[in-house]
Amino acid sequence: MTDETGAPSLREHPYATVDGTPGAAAADGAAAPLTTAAAEVRTTDHRRRRRRGPLLVALAVLTAGGAVTAAALGLGDGKGASGDESNGGLPPNTTQVTRQTLRDVHRADGQLGYGQATTAAERTPGTITNLPQTGDRIRRGEPLYEVDNRPVTLMYGSLPAYRALGSGVEGPDVKQLERNLAALGHTGFTVDEEFTDATADAVKQWQEDLGLEESGRVDLGRVVFAPGEVRIDGLEAEVGGQLGQGGRVLSYTGLTKAVTVELEASDQRLAVKGSTVTVTLPDEVVVQGKVTQVSTVIEAATGQEEAQTKVEVVVVLTGKKAQRAADAYALAAVNVDFVAQTRKDVLTVPVAALLALSEGGFGVEVVKDGTSSYVPVTTGLFADGRVEVTGTGIERGTTVGIPK
């Protein structure tokens, strides 16, 4: 029996202590007014209820992080339980200790799309004369948009354009430009960090292909660098509109399907760049993903609500199979499972098998050779309804009791 949070709820027990008075049972259909944390008290058959000895109260899981509390209630003479053999019948049900990997998983809502969009802003004033359509795909060497009837060309690279490039200029941005010129079929120069006369000649060939003035120099704002082919995500200007320097033209993304997740600041520990997660698509297909971006977002205060800090996470779906599975959806709500903690190759039992010993600590009821005894254990990670345990004589295959 569980409450809405999934934690075991407290059942009435004929020997429970109510307001400090042993044996005072709650009224029919009402829970006993115990002040202890919500817990499930084992109900035994008549023969087991008569036996005197150690009191054991089942565990209550109070928090997702595995914090637990339990309380011992007086039964019979209340003698210590560690290792004592029970004097009555065996537990109603049993299970075996298993050895496995436990994962503490946190599920969050995500939005399937193409990840965070990048804004393209005009570097020189002018009039927008041509724009693509939302959803269009632009490749290397193709115009992203046009200003004053001259194309602003897409090239591939991670370093944004930040200066004009011409003869005598040196740096990694020169090498990035030369790689693109070579990929577009312009040759006669060495791809390095020096803008030589040979580089200028290749630039003139490129300018001739575009119908531009053959200056041999690449002015700032003539090229936009992106990591690869892009998809137009949205337009922020219109044809015929006047743009000043820094005017926003459009936004774009890559072509790889990705999921954007917004986490609470308290869950930031889950957002580890490079970590692997699983994504459940609307058709229940589960695919793998990788955390590629983590950023902090401040949501401004509105009305009576205070400003809030959120953690925005971008998860890229990894592998061709995952990308194909997501192709059926342009945008969609999905579930993302983050692994908060992992414990490999540990001994585990169901949480329901874990008991609180009257002298303190936790234990399990071990069943062997027709008898049972209570064995203290140390608990570890709680996950998926199981708990990691260690203790004397506790090993894989050990039989332990669980309630009905």
Side-chain angles (χ1 to χ4, degrees):
M1 180 173 178
T2 60
D3 61 19
E4 293 180 355
T5 67
S9 59
L10 182 65
R11 292 184 189 168
E12 178 184 346
H13 190 285
Y15 297 102
T17 299
V18 181
D19 294 334
T21 304
D28 240 3
L34 299 178
T35 58
T36 57
E40 172 148 349
V41 180
R42 281 198 181 173
T43 303
T44 59
D45 59 23
H46 179 69
R47 180 177 54 183
R48 287 171 57 80
R49 286 200 303 268
R50 288 201 311 268
R51 73 184 186 184
R52 307 173 67 83
L55 165 71
L56 300 168
V57 182
L59 173 69
V61 180
L62 298 185
T63 70
V68 295
T69 62
L73 308 177
L75 278 184
D77 51 18
K79 293 180 180 179
S82 299
D84 292 347
E85 287 194 4
S86 60
N87 297 318
L90 298 176
N93 295 296
T94 61
T95 188
Q96 290 189 330
V97 176
T98 63
R99 183 174 291 279
Q100 64 186 90
T101 295
L102 282 185
R103 290 182 174 86
D104 179 14
V105 177
H106 176 90
R107 171 160 286 192
D109 296 330
Q111 182 68 41
L112 176 65
Y114 295 89
Q116 292 178 326
T118 301
T119 299
E122 181 54 27
R123 308 303 293 269
T124 57
T127 301
I128 297 291
T129 53
N130 193 30
L131 285 170
Q133 299 294 317
T134 299
D136 284 353
R137 297 186 175 189
I138 311 298
R139 299 183 181 87
R140 183 193 341 241
E142 296 178 345
L144 197 58
Y145 58 92
E146 292 184 5
V147 176
D148 294 340
N149 212 32
R150 296 185 299 171
V152 175
T153 305
L154 178 70
M155 289 189 177
Y156 297 167
S158 59
L159 185 64
Y162 64 93
R163 60 176 176 172
L165 299 177
S167 294
V169 175
E170 297 183 5
D173 52 344
V174 173
K175 187 173 185 178
Q176 182 172 264
L177 172 67
E178 290 179 337
R179 282 175 174 166
N180 281 274
L181 291 171
L184 292 170
H186 304 294
T187 59
F189 59 91
T190 301
V191 176
D192 55 21
E193 295 191 354
E194 296 184 35
F195 197 115
T196 63
D197 290 342
T199 305
D201 289 339
V203 170
K204 290 177 181 179
Q205 296 171 23
W206 169 66
Q207 290 171 329
E208 181 181 11
D209 290 347
L210 295 178
L212 298 173
E213 179 186 354
E214 298 170 29
S215 65
R217 172 186 172 88
V218 181
D219 294 327
L220 184 61
R222 191 52 49 209
V223 171
V224 171
F225 288 100
E229 186 177 347
V230 302
R231 169 190 169 274
I232 303 303
D233 189 64
L235 302 178
E236 302 187 38
E238 57 183 19
V239 174
Q242 298 290 319
L243 286 179
Q245 184 173 353
R248 299 161 70 95
V249 182
L250 53 77
S251 60
Y252 60 86
T253 67
L255 302 186
T256 302
K257 284 294 182 71
V259 177
T260 302
V261 182
E262 190 177 78
L263 297 174
E264 298 294 333
S266 58
D267 291 326
Q268 187 167 5
R269 62 192 174 85
L270 302 172
V272 179
K273 189 174 181 179
S275 62
T276 299
V277 301
T278 56
V279 177
T280 304
L281 301 175
D283 57 4
E284 300 300 323
V285 171
V286 178
V287 297
Q288 297 294 309
K290 182 178 181 181
V291 175
T292 58
Q293 294 179 328
V294 179
S295 56
T296 301
V297 177
I298 306 298
E299 294 184 352
T302 57
Q304 300 298 319
E305 296 184 3
E306 299 181 354
Q308 296 186 34
T309 301
K310 302 289 186 177
V311 178
E312 190 170 89
V313 182
V314 176
V315 174
V316 172
L317 303 187
T318 53
K320 293 181 179 179
K321 182 179 179 180
Q323 289 293 319
R324 285 196 300 269
D327 278 344
Y329 310 96
L331 298 172
V334 298
N335 291 322
V336 181
D337 290 333
F338 296 84
V339 179
Q341 187 179 356
T342 300
R343 293 284 293 161
K344 295 183 177 180
D345 196 31
V346 294
L347 297 173
T348 77
V349 296
V351 173
L354 194 61
L355 309 170
L357 304 181
S358 59
E359 69 269 29
F362 301 109
V364 292
E365 185 174 5
V366 175
V367 178
K368 186 177 182 181
D369 298 330
T371 62
S372 71
S373 60
Y374 300 105
V375 176
V377 295
T378 301
T379 60
L381 179 64
F382 288 78
D384 296 328
R386 301 189 70 84
V387 57
E388 174 189 357
V389 293
T390 55
T392 302
I394 302 299
E395 58 188 22
R396 180 177 182 178
T398 298
T399 299
V400 297
I402 55 175
K404 289 183 179 179

